[in-house]
Amino acid sequence: MSRLCRFGVSLEKKMIDAFDRHIHNSAYQNRSEAIRDLIRESLTRKKIAGDGIVAGAIVMTYDHHKRDLVNKLLDVQHDFQKLIISTQHVHMDHVHCLEIIAVHGRAREIEKLADAIRAQVGVLQVDLSLIMTK
Ligand code: NI
């Protein structure tokens, strides 16, 4: 087993409370185990990235009142239009929007699209779900 290293993580109290509830309802013994799994999952996802052809969905929430955000998100989607099959937009409340982008193409390129969306100020959460097509 490789050497264990410790590091500190700063999170909003609300997020830590929600995470602790998640841990309590799961089989995890402590936060470290749960965080380790999240990191492993993220690294595994990166491994999928590459030359493989995949299909999936990018699900995101954002604050549409953020200055220029809607236009920036449209610009990003047009930059990657060859990967996008369809988009669905849901107005969650007065402020928040949910968008589901169906994608198909090279995993590495889809990851780039998801990262470009994550980088926009006002985007609250992004989840990328990919499945192998071959
Ligand atoms: Ni909306």
Side-chain angles (χ1 to χ4, degrees):
M1 189 179 184
S2 63
R3 191 167 61 95
L4 288 178
C5 297
R6 288 178 165 269
F7 67 99
V9 178
S10 301
L11 297 172
E12 294 163 9
K13 172 91 171 77
K14 217 167 114 182
M15 190 179 282
I16 291 175
D17 290 345
F19 192 59
D20 283 344
R21 281 194 301 277
H22 162 69
I23 291 169
H24 181 75
N25 294 329
S26 306
Y28 295 113
Q29 298 296 311
N30 52 52
R31 285 180 182 158
S32 290
E33 278 186 19
I35 289 170
R36 204 174 293 132
D37 264 7
L38 287 174
I39 292 172
R40 196 174 290 129
E41 187 182 312
S42 173
L43 294 175
T44 301
R45 184 178 285 178
K46 286 288 178 191
K47 276 185 191 171
I48 289 176
D51 288 334
I53 301 296
V54 296
I58 297 169
V59 180
M60 64 170 158
T61 52
Y62 61 89
D63 173 353
H64 83 270
H65 287 153
K66 276 283 178 197
R67 190 182 171 85
D68 289 336
L69 177 58
V70 174
N71 282 333
K72 285 176 183 171
L73 288 172
L74 283 173
D75 284 345
V76 168
Q77 291 185 47
H78 279 268
D79 288 343
F80 290 87
Q81 56 90 12
K82 285 183 180 163
L83 301 173
I84 297 173
I85 300 166
S86 70
T87 61
Q88 183 173 22
H89 184 104
V90 180
H91 308 304
M92 299 294 286
D93 56 35
H94 186 64
V95 175
H96 300 104
C97 301
L98 168 76
E99 207 158 297
I100 304 161
I101 305 171
V103 289
H104 182 241
R106 222 163 277 291
R108 186 188 298 129
E109 296 302 311
I110 293 172
E111 292 272 359
K112 279 186 196 166
L113 168 58
D115 286 343
I117 289 169
R118 280 189 191 97
Q120 303 302 317
V121 175
V123 171
L124 302 171
Q125 198 171 349
V126 178
D127 185 62
L128 173 59
S129 179
L130 296 178
I131 55 169
M132 304 298 285
T133 56
K134 293 177 191 170

